[in-house]
Amino acid sequence: MTHFGVTLSQFIMEEQRRFPEATGNFTLLLNDIAVSCKMIAAAVQKGQLANVLGATDNENCQGETQQILDVIANELFIKNNANRGHVAAMASEEMDDVFNIPENVPRGNYLLIFDPLDGSSNIDINGPIGTIFSILKTDKKNPTEEDFLQEGTKQVCAGYCLYGSATMMVLTIGYGTHGFTLDPAIGEFILTHPNMQIPSSTAEYAINQANRNLWEPPMRKYIDECDLGVEGPRKKKFTMRWVGAMVMDIHRLIQRGGLFAYPMDSSLTEKGGRLRLMYEANPMAFLVEQAGGIASTGYERILDLAPEKLHQRVPVIMGSTDEMKIILDNHKAFAKEAGKEFTHQCKSYA
Ligand code: AHG
Ligand code: MN
Ligand code: MN
């Protein structure tokens, strides 16, 4: 049956009343993003019938083989946003450099940066995948990479679309984290999860355990203590879940609490981490904080990091406050011992 809820566009239009200077461009931009995600969802759902599975012969600038769907999703975002007059420039995981809006096309004040297809290794196995996006502002007409390098606190909007059993869009414009479910009967995202709140306590974590021997001591200590179960210092039984698509792993924790971590490990020192700051860590950190959680590298609040490069990688640890406090305390103690800096401060961890 049809849901009599608020559509995504209606919700954004109403939210825009908070900003008296708003021109309506933001609503239109969000609409174009939603259309792009609906098109990706349609391709994802057809799978092999639409010939969208498998790999291309190309690598992206990060040395990862591009899947056919990575490329299609990226092209859909470009096609639906480049000529609409709302963005000044775009950037994505799948493009080495900033995508400049063609000459003679009107430009808006927004910078759109995205991970077109997150969890690429799940594409061919019909597993959950997603799209992540972050919106920044600029007054430049021809922005360069430098204009994108703004702290996460400057994001005006962040969101993800999860192509799971249902297609869901989850977003924040700085006033809570809200979830919308795609109603395929009418082709609209409907507000189904207003003001999502991450439960502060949990007994579930998501981490790639195969990297255990490579983690830094504070992360290993935390997981080892969880794994000791009822007999250990945590006195409860924990569960481990790892989908391998951060959109899904973080969506789960926003819904029922938990922890998501891709921490620093000794194989990642040179790269700086596994996940990318501008289009994975920052938007997810904004969503998690707006839902009442904490997001950190272990030592620094993710949203306070000063970005240095478009494709910069960072360690990511985020989730329920009670667990995050233990992890941050572990890092703080280790930092003191190892002579490292610890600066994480946020509303829930002073
Ligand atoms: P992407 O598909 O955009 O490259 O991102 C995949 C990321 C993230 O979503 C996921 O949590 C992580 O890579 C999985 O890493 P492992 O393969 O090491 O488990
Ligand atoms: Mn990704
Ligand atoms: Mn990706």
PDB file of all heavy atoms in Angstrom, residues 313-340:
ATOM      1  N   ARG A 313      43.396   9.681   2.381  1.00  0.00           N
ATOM      2  CA  ARG A 313      42.832   8.578   3.171  1.00  0.00           C
ATOM      3  C   ARG A 313      43.066   8.838   4.652  1.00  0.00           C
ATOM      4  O   ARG A 313      44.079   9.432   5.025  1.00  0.00           O
ATOM      5  CB  ARG A 313      43.493   7.254   2.790  1.00  0.00           C
ATOM      6  CG  ARG A 313      43.195   6.825   1.352  1.00  0.00           C
ATOM      7  CD  ARG A 313      43.975   5.566   1.058  1.00  0.00           C
ATOM      8  NE  ARG A 313      43.963   5.225  -0.353  1.00  0.00           N
ATOM      9  CZ  ARG A 313      43.254   4.214  -0.864  1.00  0.00           C
ATOM     10  NH1 ARG A 313      42.497   3.476  -0.098  1.00  0.00           N
ATOM     11  NH2 ARG A 313      43.312   3.943  -2.150  1.00  0.00           N
ATOM     12  N   VAL A 314      42.145   8.373   5.467  1.00  0.00           N
ATOM     13  CA  VAL A 314      42.263   8.553   6.924  1.00  0.00           C
ATOM     14  C   VAL A 314      41.751   7.304   7.657  1.00  0.00           C
ATOM     15  O   VAL A 314      40.912   6.577   7.137  1.00  0.00           O
ATOM     16  CB  VAL A 314      41.432   9.767   7.436  1.00  0.00           C
ATOM     17  CG1 VAL A 314      42.045  11.082   7.016  1.00  0.00           C
ATOM     18  CG2 VAL A 314      39.976   9.685   7.012  1.00  0.00           C
ATOM     19  N   PRO A 315      42.249   7.093   8.881  1.00  0.00           N
ATOM     20  CA  PRO A 315      41.667   6.037   9.712  1.00  0.00           C
ATOM     21  C   PRO A 315      40.261   6.463  10.126  1.00  0.00           C
ATOM     22  O   PRO A 315      40.018   7.652  10.341  1.00  0.00           O
ATOM     23  CB  PRO A 315      42.581   5.977  10.946  1.00  0.00           C
ATOM     24  CG  PRO A 315      43.763   6.846  10.633  1.00  0.00           C
ATOM     25  CD  PRO A 315      43.351   7.790   9.568  1.00  0.00           C
ATOM     26  N   VAL A 316      39.342   5.506  10.227  1.00  0.00           N
ATOM     27  CA  VAL A 316      37.943   5.824  10.557  1.00  0.00           C
ATOM     28  C   VAL A 316      37.442   4.911  11.678  1.00  0.00           C
ATOM     29  O   VAL A 316      37.542   3.685  11.572  1.00  0.00           O
ATOM     30  CB  VAL A 316      37.047   5.630   9.305  1.00  0.00           C
ATOM     31  CG1 VAL A 316      35.569   5.707   9.664  1.00  0.00           C
ATOM     32  CG2 VAL A 316      37.378   6.654   8.231  1.00  0.00           C
ATOM     33  N   ILE A 317      36.953   5.521  12.743  1.00  0.00           N
ATOM     34  CA  ILE A 317      36.331   4.756  13.835  1.00  0.00           C
ATOM     35  C   ILE A 317      35.089   5.544  14.244  1.00  0.00           C
ATOM     36  O   ILE A 317      35.205   6.704  14.642  1.00  0.00           O
ATOM     37  CB  ILE A 317      37.278   4.623  15.063  1.00  0.00           C
ATOM     38  CG1 ILE A 317      38.671   4.145  14.628  1.00  0.00           C
ATOM     39  CG2 ILE A 317      36.683   3.673  16.105  1.00  0.00           C
ATOM     40  CD1 ILE A 317      39.730   4.207  15.728  1.00  0.00           C
ATOM     41  N   MET A 318      33.910   4.968  14.089  1.00  0.00           N
ATOM     42  CA  MET A 318      32.708   5.739  14.443  1.00  0.00           C
ATOM     43  C   MET A 318      31.581   4.851  14.955  1.00  0.00           C
ATOM     44  O   MET A 318      31.544   3.662  14.676  1.00  0.00           O
ATOM     45  CB  MET A 318      32.225   6.600  13.267  1.00  0.00           C
ATOM     46  CG  MET A 318      32.014   5.913  11.945  1.00  0.00           C
ATOM     47  SD  MET A 318      31.319   7.062  10.720  1.00  0.00           S
ATOM     48  CE  MET A 318      32.793   7.858  10.089  1.00  0.00           C
ATOM     49  N   GLY A 319      30.699   5.478  15.743  1.00  0.00           N
ATOM     50  CA  GLY A 319      29.541   4.737  16.222  1.00  0.00           C
ATOM     51  C   GLY A 319      29.008   5.215  17.550  1.00  0.00           C
ATOM     52  O   GLY A 319      29.127   6.395  17.908  1.00  0.00           O
ATOM     53  N   SER A 320      28.431   4.267  18.297  1.00  0.00           N
ATOM     54  CA  SER A 320      27.752   4.539  19.568  1.00  0.00           C
ATOM     55  C   SER A 320      28.687   5.201  20.581  1.00  0.00           C
ATOM     56  O   SER A 320      29.853   4.809  20.719  1.00  0.00           O
ATOM     57  CB  SER A 320      27.259   3.226  20.175  1.00  0.00           C
ATOM     58  OG  SER A 320      26.291   2.643  19.340  1.00  0.00           O
ATOM     59  N   THR A 321      28.155   6.162  21.319  1.00  0.00           N
ATOM     60  CA  THR A 321      29.011   6.971  22.211  1.00  0.00           C
ATOM     61  C   THR A 321      29.714   6.138  23.291  1.00  0.00           C
ATOM     62  O   THR A 321      30.906   6.339  23.521  1.00  0.00           O
ATOM     63  CB  THR A 321      28.209   8.098  22.899  1.00  0.00           C
ATOM     64  OG1 THR A 321      27.043   7.506  23.461  1.00  0.00           O
ATOM     65  CG2 THR A 321      27.805   9.185  21.945  1.00  0.00           C
ATOM     66  N   ASP A 322      29.010   5.201  23.942  1.00  0.00           N
ATOM     67  CA  ASP A 322      29.638   4.459  25.045  1.00  0.00           C
ATOM     68  C   ASP A 322      30.878   3.695  24.570  1.00  0.00           C
ATOM     69  O   ASP A 322      31.907   3.666  25.247  1.00  0.00           O
ATOM     70  CB  ASP A 322      28.653   3.455  25.674  1.00  0.00           C
ATOM     71  CG  ASP A 322      27.535   4.160  26.429  1.00  0.00           C
ATOM     72  OD1 ASP A 322      27.533   5.413  26.450  1.00  0.00           O
ATOM     73  OD2 ASP A 322      26.658   3.457  26.982  1.00  0.00           O
ATOM     74  N   GLU A 323      30.767   3.062  23.400  1.00  0.00           N
ATOM     75  CA  GLU A 323      31.905   2.306  22.865  1.00  0.00           C
ATOM     76  C   GLU A 323      33.011   3.250  22.421  1.00  0.00           C
ATOM     77  O   GLU A 323      34.195   3.005  22.659  1.00  0.00           O
ATOM     78  CB  GLU A 323      31.452   1.439  21.684  1.00  0.00           C
ATOM     79  CG  GLU A 323      30.420   0.399  22.034  1.00  0.00           C
ATOM     80  CD  GLU A 323      30.824  -0.483  23.211  1.00  0.00           C
ATOM     81  OE1 GLU A 323      31.930  -1.047  23.172  1.00  0.00           O
ATOM     82  OE2 GLU A 323      30.031  -0.609  24.168  1.00  0.00           O
ATOM     83  N   MET A 324      32.608   4.332  21.748  1.00  0.00           N
ATOM     84  CA  MET A 324      33.603   5.287  21.240  1.00  0.00           C
ATOM     85  C   MET A 324      34.401   5.911  22.381  1.00  0.00           C
ATOM     86  O   MET A 324      35.591   6.163  22.236  1.00  0.00           O
ATOM     87  CB  MET A 324      32.905   6.373  20.402  1.00  0.00           C
ATOM     88  CG  MET A 324      32.442   5.913  19.043  1.00  0.00           C
ATOM     89  SD  MET A 324      33.778   5.276  17.988  1.00  0.00           S
ATOM     90  CE  MET A 324      34.823   6.708  17.755  1.00  0.00           C
ATOM     91  N   LYS A 325      33.741   6.136  23.523  1.00  0.00           N
ATOM     92  CA  LYS A 325      34.463   6.728  24.656  1.00  0.00           C
ATOM     93  C   LYS A 325      35.572   5.783  25.131  1.00  0.00           C
ATOM     94  O   LYS A 325      36.679   6.214  25.451  1.00  0.00           O
ATOM     95  CB  LYS A 325      33.497   7.040  25.802  1.00  0.00           C
ATOM     96  CG  LYS A 325      32.688   8.307  25.542  1.00  0.00           C
ATOM     97  CD  LYS A 325      31.741   8.564  26.695  1.00  0.00           C
ATOM     98  CE  LYS A 325      30.752   9.654  26.350  1.00  0.00           C
ATOM     99  NZ  LYS A 325      29.597   9.661  27.249  1.00  0.00           N
ATOM    100  N   ILE A 326      35.272   4.480  25.156  1.00  0.00           N
ATOM    101  CA  ILE A 326      36.284   3.500  25.576  1.00  0.00           C
ATOM    102  C   ILE A 326      37.446   3.504  24.572  1.00  0.00           C
ATOM    103  O   ILE A 326      38.623   3.527  24.942  1.00  0.00           O
ATOM    104  CB  ILE A 326      35.658   2.078  25.670  1.00  0.00           C
ATOM    105  CG1 ILE A 326      34.550   2.068  26.738  1.00  0.00           C
ATOM    106  CG2 ILE A 326      36.720   1.026  25.952  1.00  0.00           C
ATOM    107  CD1 ILE A 326      33.762   0.772  26.810  1.00  0.00           C
ATOM    108  N   ILE A 327      37.092   3.523  23.292  1.00  0.00           N
ATOM    109  CA  ILE A 327      38.133   3.506  22.247  1.00  0.00           C
ATOM    110  C   ILE A 327      38.988   4.775  22.301  1.00  0.00           C
ATOM    111  O   ILE A 327      40.217   4.726  22.178  1.00  0.00           O
ATOM    112  CB  ILE A 327      37.470   3.345  20.860  1.00  0.00           C
ATOM    113  CG1 ILE A 327      36.826   1.956  20.778  1.00  0.00           C
ATOM    114  CG2 ILE A 327      38.467   3.543  19.737  1.00  0.00           C
ATOM    115  CD1 ILE A 327      35.975   1.738  19.560  1.00  0.00           C
ATOM    116  N   LEU A 328      38.327   5.917  22.516  1.00  0.00           N
ATOM    117  CA  LEU A 328      39.089   7.175  22.578  1.00  0.00           C
ATOM    118  C   LEU A 328      39.985   7.194  23.813  1.00  0.00           C
ATOM    119  O   LEU A 328      41.131   7.650  23.747  1.00  0.00           O
ATOM    120  CB  LEU A 328      38.144   8.384  22.541  1.00  0.00           C
ATOM    121  CG  LEU A 328      37.467   8.611  21.187  1.00  0.00           C
ATOM    122  CD1 LEU A 328      36.449   9.744  21.260  1.00  0.00           C
ATOM    123  CD2 LEU A 328      38.493   8.911  20.093  1.00  0.00           C
ATOM    124  N   ASP A 329      39.483   6.676  24.933  1.00  0.00           N
ATOM    125  CA  ASP A 329      40.331   6.593  26.138  1.00  0.00           C
ATOM    126  C   ASP A 329      41.561   5.714  25.873  1.00  0.00           C
ATOM    127  O   ASP A 329      42.669   6.044  26.289  1.00  0.00           O
ATOM    128  CB  ASP A 329      39.533   6.029  27.337  1.00  0.00           C
ATOM    129  CG  ASP A 329      38.549   7.060  27.905  1.00  0.00           C
ATOM    130  OD1 ASP A 329      38.665   8.253  27.549  1.00  0.00           O
ATOM    131  OD2 ASP A 329      37.659   6.662  28.695  1.00  0.00           O
ATOM    132  N   ASN A 330      41.347   4.594  25.171  1.00  0.00           N
ATOM    133  CA  ASN A 330      42.478   3.716  24.811  1.00  0.00           C
ATOM    134  C   ASN A 330      43.517   4.478  23.984  1.00  0.00           C
ATOM    135  O   ASN A 330      44.715   4.350  24.193  1.00  0.00           O
ATOM    136  CB  ASN A 330      42.006   2.530  23.951  1.00  0.00           C
ATOM    137  CG  ASN A 330      41.316   1.450  24.760  1.00  0.00           C
ATOM    138  OD1 ASN A 330      41.218   1.552  25.977  1.00  0.00           O
ATOM    139  ND2 ASN A 330      40.819   0.428  24.078  1.00  0.00           N
ATOM    140  N   HIS A 331      43.028   5.241  23.012  1.00  0.00           N
ATOM    141  CA  HIS A 331      43.945   5.997  22.140  1.00  0.00           C
ATOM    142  C   HIS A 331      44.662   7.100  22.918  1.00  0.00           C
ATOM    143  O   HIS A 331      45.836   7.363  22.696  1.00  0.00           O
ATOM    144  CB  HIS A 331      43.201   6.588  20.940  1.00  0.00           C
ATOM    145  CG  HIS A 331      42.938   5.590  19.846  1.00  0.00           C
ATOM    146  ND1 HIS A 331      41.881   4.720  19.897  1.00  0.00           N
ATOM    147  CD2 HIS A 331      43.619   5.301  18.707  1.00  0.00           C
ATOM    148  CE1 HIS A 331      41.904   3.949  18.817  1.00  0.00           C
ATOM    149  NE2 HIS A 331      42.953   4.282  18.080  1.00  0.00           N
ATOM    150  N   LYS A 332      43.914   7.727  23.823  1.00  0.00           N
ATOM    151  CA  LYS A 332      44.485   8.827  24.612  1.00  0.00           C
ATOM    152  C   LYS A 332      45.649   8.295  25.458  1.00  0.00           C
ATOM    153  O   LYS A 332      46.739   8.881  25.490  1.00  0.00           O
ATOM    154  CB  LYS A 332      43.399   9.393  25.525  1.00  0.00           C
ATOM    155  CG  LYS A 332      43.659  10.783  26.025  1.00  0.00           C
ATOM    156  CD  LYS A 332      42.438  11.192  26.851  1.00  0.00           C
ATOM    157  CE  LYS A 332      42.455  12.649  27.186  1.00  0.00           C
ATOM    158  NZ  LYS A 332      41.183  13.031  27.809  1.00  0.00           N
ATOM    159  N   ALA A 333      45.412   7.142  26.112  1.00  0.00           N
ATOM    160  CA  ALA A 333      46.447   6.543  26.963  1.00  0.00           C
ATOM    161  C   ALA A 333      47.649   6.122  26.116  1.00  0.00           C
ATOM    162  O   ALA A 333      48.802   6.366  26.488  1.00  0.00           O
ATOM    163  CB  ALA A 333      45.864   5.337  27.702  1.00  0.00           C
ATOM    164  N   PHE A 334      47.367   5.524  24.959  1.00  0.00           N
ATOM    165  CA  PHE A 334      48.457   5.073  24.082  1.00  0.00           C
ATOM    166  C   PHE A 334      49.252   6.271  23.553  1.00  0.00           C
ATOM    167  O   PHE A 334      50.487   6.231  23.486  1.00  0.00           O
ATOM    168  CB  PHE A 334      47.876   4.254  22.922  1.00  0.00           C
ATOM    169  CG  PHE A 334      48.899   3.839  21.902  1.00  0.00           C
ATOM    170  CD1 PHE A 334      49.837   2.869  22.209  1.00  0.00           C
ATOM    171  CD2 PHE A 334      48.916   4.429  20.643  1.00  0.00           C
ATOM    172  CE1 PHE A 334      50.793   2.482  21.261  1.00  0.00           C
ATOM    173  CE2 PHE A 334      49.864   4.053  19.694  1.00  0.00           C
ATOM    174  CZ  PHE A 334      50.803   3.080  20.001  1.00  0.00           C
ATOM    175  N   ALA A 335      48.527   7.342  23.195  1.00  0.00           N
ATOM    176  CA  ALA A 335      49.186   8.541  22.661  1.00  0.00           C
ATOM    177  C   ALA A 335      50.171   9.106  23.689  1.00  0.00           C
ATOM    178  O   ALA A 335      51.281   9.507  23.351  1.00  0.00           O
ATOM    179  CB  ALA A 335      48.143   9.586  22.277  1.00  0.00           C
ATOM    180  N   LYS A 336      49.756   9.101  24.933  1.00  0.00           N
ATOM    181  CA  LYS A 336      50.596   9.631  26.008  1.00  0.00           C
ATOM    182  C   LYS A 336      51.902   8.825  26.107  1.00  0.00           C
ATOM    183  O   LYS A 336      52.999   9.388  26.131  1.00  0.00           O
ATOM    184  CB  LYS A 336      49.820   9.544  27.333  1.00  0.00           C
ATOM    185  CG  LYS A 336      50.223  10.623  28.316  1.00  0.00           C
ATOM    186  CD  LYS A 336      49.242  10.669  29.449  1.00  0.00           C
ATOM    187  CE  LYS A 336      49.881  11.453  30.604  1.00  0.00           C
ATOM    188  NZ  LYS A 336      49.146  11.248  31.837  1.00  0.00           N
ATOM    189  N   GLU A 337      51.726   7.502  26.094  1.00  0.00           N
ATOM    190  CA  GLU A 337      52.885   6.592  26.163  1.00  0.00           C
ATOM    191  C   GLU A 337      53.814   6.758  24.965  1.00  0.00           C
ATOM    192  O   GLU A 337      55.027   6.760  25.103  1.00  0.00           O
ATOM    193  CB  GLU A 337      52.350   5.153  26.056  1.00  0.00           C
ATOM    194  CG  GLU A 337      52.500   4.281  27.261  1.00  0.00           C
ATOM    195  CD  GLU A 337      51.703   3.001  26.983  1.00  0.00           C
ATOM    196  OE1 GLU A 337      52.045   2.291  26.019  1.00  0.00           O
ATOM    197  OE2 GLU A 337      50.725   2.760  27.726  1.00  0.00           O
ATOM    198  N   ALA A 338      53.197   6.867  23.785  1.00  0.00           N
ATOM    199  CA  ALA A 338      53.972   6.836  22.538  1.00  0.00           C
ATOM    200  C   ALA A 338      54.407   8.233  22.093  1.00  0.00           C
ATOM    201  O   ALA A 338      55.002   8.377  21.014  1.00  0.00           O
ATOM    202  CB  ALA A 338      53.152   6.168  21.448  1.00  0.00           C
ATOM    203  N   GLY A 339      54.060   9.253  22.874  1.00  0.00           N
ATOM    204  CA  GLY A 339      54.427  10.628  22.509  1.00  0.00           C
ATOM    205  C   GLY A 339      53.709  11.107  21.256  1.00  0.00           C
ATOM    206  O   GLY A 339      54.244  11.875  20.467  1.00  0.00           O
ATOM    207  N   LYS A 340      52.468  10.620  21.063  1.00  0.00           N
ATOM    208  CA  LYS A 340      51.676  11.054  19.908  1.00  0.00           C
ATOM    209  C   LYS A 340      50.677  12.116  20.357  1.00  0.00           C
ATOM    210  O   LYS A 340      50.376  12.212  21.542  1.00  0.00           O
ATOM    211  CB  LYS A 340      50.868   9.862  19.342  1.00  0.00           C
ATOM    212  CG  LYS A 340      51.698   8.871  18.552  1.00  0.00           C
ATOM    213  CD  LYS A 340      50.880   7.637  18.265  1.00  0.00           C
ATOM    214  CE  LYS A 340      50.159   7.779  16.941  1.00  0.00           C
ATOM    215  NZ  LYS A 340      50.533   6.846  15.923  1.00  0.00           N
TER     216      LYS A 340
END
